[in-house]
Amino acid sequence: MEIAAIKNLAYEIMGNKEEVPHGEGYRLAHGYRVGGIAEWLAHELGENDELVFIAGVLHDIGKDKNQNLESDGVRHGPRGAEIIRKQFIHYMSINELERITNMVENHNARPKSKWFIDKEKPVLPAEVLIIQDADLLDHFGEEGINITLNWGRFFKKSREQILKEWKYGERTQRMHEEVRRSLNFEVSVVEFDRRIKIMQDFFAKF
Ligand SMILES: [Fe+2]
Ligand SMILES: [Fe+2]
């Protein structure tokens, strides 16, 4: 795998992409963080960590903010896999390409999520489940504080409104429960709880 060439191309495609409300290049930085979390998870679970790192970097490459947001949520995985098949094919073996595109394509098909209640759940390799968990985890903890404040600023919320929604908001509570339930590994749940604690401590003093 030609790691430097992959990173260069990822930077070219995502490095200056504007993402409201987080600013330019957010998607690439999120990718690198997800790669790091995925690498750590893979290590904890005894899985291959080089491929999951690269899949983490690339997982949201199909996000297109000009698209309808609703459909983008579901389609950016497959669209990302398509981009990787077309543009990254020369930088990895066929086997690596297949595994990475599988991780990118299915990063939102979480078997334990509400979307698969009473339905046939997707059966996916551990490395795909690792990317799914890493992606969720990056929205909490220190980064979760930034995300909350970015959205607060974007919607022109007052400090009281931010606090009220974060601390007592039913939607926040429901979202946390859904995320926690969707995580595939026990070690991810422990990490999620640790990250929520960081956010609670921050907003307790905000
Ligand atoms: Fe995504
Ligand atoms: Fe993501």
Side-chain angles (χ1 to χ4, degrees), residues 91-205:
Y91 303 141
M92 50 186 95
S93 71
I94 291 299
N95 177 263
E96 287 165 342
L97 182 73
E98 254 168 40
R99 286 171 61 191
I100 288 176
T101 49
N102 194 23
M103 287 187 251
V104 171
E105 182 155 2
N106 293 300
H107 78 264
N108 283 317
R110 300 187 171 88
K112 293 182 169 180
S113 70
K114 63 182 176 188
W115 307 108
F116 293 108
I117 292 173
D118 298 331
K119 284 189 194 146
E120 201 183 318
K121 297 180 191 351
V123 179
L124 298 163
E127 59 193 17
V128 181
L129 304 177
I130 286 172
I131 292 293
Q132 293 179 347
D133 283 11
D135 188 19
L136 286 181
L137 287 171
D138 188 49
H139 294 84
F140 301 93
E142 302 288 354
E143 190 48 34
I145 295 167
N146 288 334
I147 292 172
T148 306
L149 294 180
N150 286 348
W151 279 113
R153 197 166 51 232
F154 181 72
F155 286 116
K156 299 198 179 353
K157 303 230 164 159
S158 67
R159 174 182 153 268
E160 278 94 350
Q161 279 172 314
I162 291 174
L163 273 180
K164 198 169 161 211
E165 280 167 35
W166 167 258
K167 285 172 95 172
Y168 314 109
E170 245 177 68
R171 261 188 65 203
T172 306
Q173 202 53 47
R174 272 206 310 273
M175 184 263 282
H176 289 175
E177 278 163 23
E178 173 60 18
V179 168
R180 199 172 189 278
R181 181 181 62 185
S182 298
L183 291 166
N184 297 301
F185 302 103
E186 189 49 39
V187 58
S188 310
V189 175
V190 173
E191 175 61 11
F192 175 75
D193 290 345
R194 188 186 74 81
R195 286 173 179 246
I196 289 294
K197 173 85 167 56
I198 289 172
M199 295 180 79
Q200 277 165 349
D201 290 348
F202 178 88
F203 284 106
K205 291 181 179 170

Side-chain angles (χ1 to χ4, degrees), residues 27 30-31 34 59-60 63 76 107-108 110 135-136 139:
R27 206 39 62 182
H30 165 63
V34 168
H59 81 284
D60 273 340
K63 275 234 170 182
H76 74 268
H107 78 264
N108 283 317
R110 300 187 171 88
D135 188 19
L136 286 181
H139 294 84

